[in-house]
Amino acid sequence: MTLYGGIEAGGTKFVCGIGDESGRLLESITFPTTTPGQTLARALAFFAGKPLAALGIGTFGPVDLRPDSPAYGRITSTPKPGWANTDMLRPFRERLGVPVGLDTDVNAAALGEHRWGAAQGLDTFVYLTVGTGIGGGGMAGGRLMHGALHPEMGHVRVPHDWARDPFAGVCPYHGDCLEGLASGPAIEARWGVPGESLPADHPAWELEAHYLALGVANLVLTLSPQRVILGGGVMGVAGMLPRVRALVLALLNGYLQIAAIVEDIEGYIVPPGLGTQAGVRGALALAIGAAFG
Ligand code: ZN
């Protein structure tokens, strides 16, 4: 059996896993993201001595993904202390001596969903995760979305009604961008307690659904995805997904007469088919791509 390694390198935690070409996870480890030196050493130790054919890394970012750039594989302007300029690629390539596929954490998850999850058979779709941060990736025309860098869908601007929500937002770069208003840390800063301790009928969740629906509607109008996959801890809140679906329909207001949307919103805005394993299994998919690249 050929083995592949995958790393979901998140800003809060790293998930390292080993799997086969069917995307089955055989072994995995999760640990908190601390300093770059400590965290990457722990990941390297997990894979050391394992007979891998290739490794895939889905990393938080922003990250330089242009293969012809001198900074290829490096984290760029992250607000995460100590991580700017961290090389996410070469330490693994050099120490493990295998091909390494690298992309954003959300593009990796999107690839996993495309291969084994909720986006099978589609060529244009979005994967958005709502948790410690908000990030989005996906495919356009059958290819993972890249470009000048890569999409940063969490930092789009959404209308902010200061009378309804006088909270200024937590994004260190933009204040009240979507991530600034609707990420887990935004919920905690606005209400003074972590989202986990807010009851399901708290007004926090209607406001949260409102912002997420604005973000999703913008993505639907901009990218014309065939499906939108919504993952991350905040989407696990009871009733959040149905609320977002209803508000997206209300915002679009009948403008897009697409049967997939107006007749089957439950099949259009969906949870990840791979659940919480989308990130690490997506990284396995990146590894498989690197092995055959
Ligand atoms: Zn922002």
Side-chain angles (χ1 to χ4, degrees):
M1 182 170 55
T2 307
L3 295 180
Y4 299 91
I7 304 178
E8 179 189 353
T12 308
K13 64 177 168 49
F14 267 48
V15 183
C16 300
I18 293 172
D20 62 16
E21 66 270 10
S22 73
R24 194 162 50 109
L25 205 55
L26 305 168
E27 185 186 348
S28 73
I29 182 177
T30 301
F31 49 85
T33 307
T34 57
T35 63
Q38 197 176 42
T39 311
L40 298 188
R42 225 167 149 179
L44 277 164
F46 173 75
F47 292 111
K50 306 249 169 59
L52 302 180
L55 178 72
I57 304 173
T59 181
F60 74 92
V63 56
D64 193 328
L65 295 174
R66 300 164 299 171
D68 57 347
S69 162
Y72 177 56
R74 289 184 185 273
I75 303 278
T76 62
S77 55
T78 181
K80 192 155 179 59
W83 282 83
N85 301 315
T86 297
D87 192 332
M88 298 297 287
L89 183 67
R90 286 163 196 83
F92 293 98
R93 206 151 60 184
E94 285 162 14
R95 289 277 301 281
L96 301 177
V98 296
V100 178
L102 177 74
D103 215 312
T104 61
D105 46 4
V106 278
N107 264 353
L111 184 62
E113 288 293 318
H114 185 253
R115 184 112 3 131
W116 302 301
Q120 291 177 64
L122 306 182
D123 61 37
T124 301
F125 67 95
V126 165
Y127 176 94
L128 195 73
T129 182
V130 187
T132 312
I134 299 182
M139 282 186 176
R143 300 174 69 95
L144 289 171
M145 292 177 194
H146 294 114
L149 188 69
H150 51 73
E152 280 286 348
M153 299 176 191
H155 295 267
V156 296
R157 300 307 185 116
V158 291
H160 180 190
D161 179 348
W162 287 82
R164 178 182 179 187
D165 177 26
F167 179 65
V170 297
C171 177
Y173 287 86
H174 317 115
D176 61 350
C177 66
L178 181 61
E179 177 172 299
L181 290 172
S183 61
I187 296 168
E188 179 165 356
R190 180 187 290 109
W191 302 102
V193 289
E196 295 90 301
S197 34
L198 294 170
D201 60 353
H202 192 280
W205 301 123
E206 192 59 32
L207 185 66
E208 177 70 13
H210 166 74
Y211 285 132
L212 296 180
L214 284 166
V216 169
N218 287 344
L219 294 171
V220 169
L221 293 163
T222 308
L223 299 167
S224 199
Q226 296 155 316
R227 190 166 293 152
V228 176
I229 303 171
L230 294 182
V234 172
M235 291 313 301
V237 172
M240 184 56 67
L241 191 56
R243 271 179 162 149
V244 172
R245 286 173 178 143
L247 289 168
V248 167
L249 280 180
L251 285 166
L252 295 175
N253 198 26
Y255 181 67
L256 297 176
Q257 285 303 315
I258 301 166
I261 300 178
V262 294
E263 289 169 17
D264 184 24
I265 194 72
E266 287 83 9
Y268 185 70
I269 302 178
V270 302
L274 303 180
T276 56
Q277 291 188 340
V280 67
R281 291 178 66 188
L284 290 178
L286 282 176
I288 294 168
F292 294 99

